[in-house]
Amino acid sequence: KGNTNAKILFVGEAPGRNEDEQGLPFVGAAGKNLDKLLAQVGLTLDDIYITNILKCRPPENRDPAKEEIKAHTPWLKKQIREMKPEVVCSLGNYATKFFLAKGKINEMDEQPGITTLHGKPLQIEFDGLSIKLIPLFHPAAIIYNRSLISLWEQDMEVVKNEVGK
């Protein structure tokens, strides 16, 4: 959802129940957190586009399997090639590791996690594009760990500074 011409792309892991039912990413509790944090730095859906690695919810809302990631990422790569974003904000471990591994599913486990990388912009090559990657905690993590709120807010200031808003 959002502006398909945006230069900022937010990529999460997979839809939750609400997202699967409505066919849109980030419409549940995590989406409300994301909307609030975007508003705090002056960003709206006019400024960004939001999608997920997986396009449908894994059974029992479990972590995505490598086979699922491999099956779904051609659509994500197509979205990225068409959008040509300047900044990609990876939300959580799966999205961050996917981009750091340059889409090579078998190399995702070798990548550092979100706890070490959050809020640190990285210039990467991905699928023929030069992209500034900004790893962020997944907005759902805030629901379960309220102590992450101040880190999320600091990281969103990094996003704001990187996109010049």
Side-chain angles (χ1 to χ4, degrees):
K1 70 180 181 180
N3 180 354
T4 56
N5 295 314
K7 295 298 174 196
I8 312 166
L9 175 64
F10 281 74
V11 180
E13 175 182 308
R17 182 177 41 86
N18 291 327
E19 290 79 3
D20 226 18
E21 289 171 359
Q22 294 183 41
L24 291 170
F26 290 90
V27 293
K32 289 182 184 16
N33 276 347
L34 182 57
D35 292 345
K36 179 181 168 193
L37 292 160
L38 289 169
Q40 287 176 348
V41 294
L43 294 172
T44 69
L45 286 178
D46 290 336
D47 303 306
I48 67 164
Y49 189 78
I50 308 171
T51 191
N52 282 305
I53 291 177
L54 265 58
K55 304 306 181 188
C56 60
R57 182 177 185 232
E60 310 299 318
N61 207 28
R62 63 162 165 67
D63 290 342
K66 285 185 180 177
E67 301 79 37
E68 292 168 325
I69 295 171
K70 189 175 182 177
H72 287 246
T73 51
W75 285 279
L76 175 62
K77 288 179 177 181
K78 185 176 188 300
Q79 286 176 301
I80 292 169
R81 279 192 306 274
E82 289 178 5
M83 281 187 67
K84 295 177 182 60
E86 294 170 9
V87 175
V88 171
C89 295
S90 54
L91 300 172
N93 261 328
Y94 282 90
T96 299
K97 289 179 178 221
F98 174 77
F99 282 101
L100 291 176
K102 297 177 176 48
K104 296 176 183 149
I105 312 307
N106 292 335
E107 296 180 19
M108 286 176 61
D109 292 340
E110 302 164 19
Q111 304 306 318
I114 192 67
T115 305
T116 344
L117 296 175
H118 73 90
K120 297 174 184 161
L122 306 162
Q123 195 68 40
I124 65 166
E125 293 295 318
F126 184 84
D127 210 29
L129 296 172
S130 179
I131 294 173
K132 185 168 290 192
L133 178 70
I134 305 176
L136 301 171
F137 287 108
H138 195 285
I142 297 168
I143 297 168
Y144 307 109
N145 184 352
R146 303 299 288 168
S147 66
L148 294 176
I149 292 174
S150 64
L151 292 175
W152 228 103
E153 290 171 343
Q154 291 168 21
D155 292 351
M156 287 302 292
E157 287 296 324
V158 170
V159 173
K160 179 181 177 180
N161 292 334
E162 289 296 326
V163 299
K165 276 273 282 164

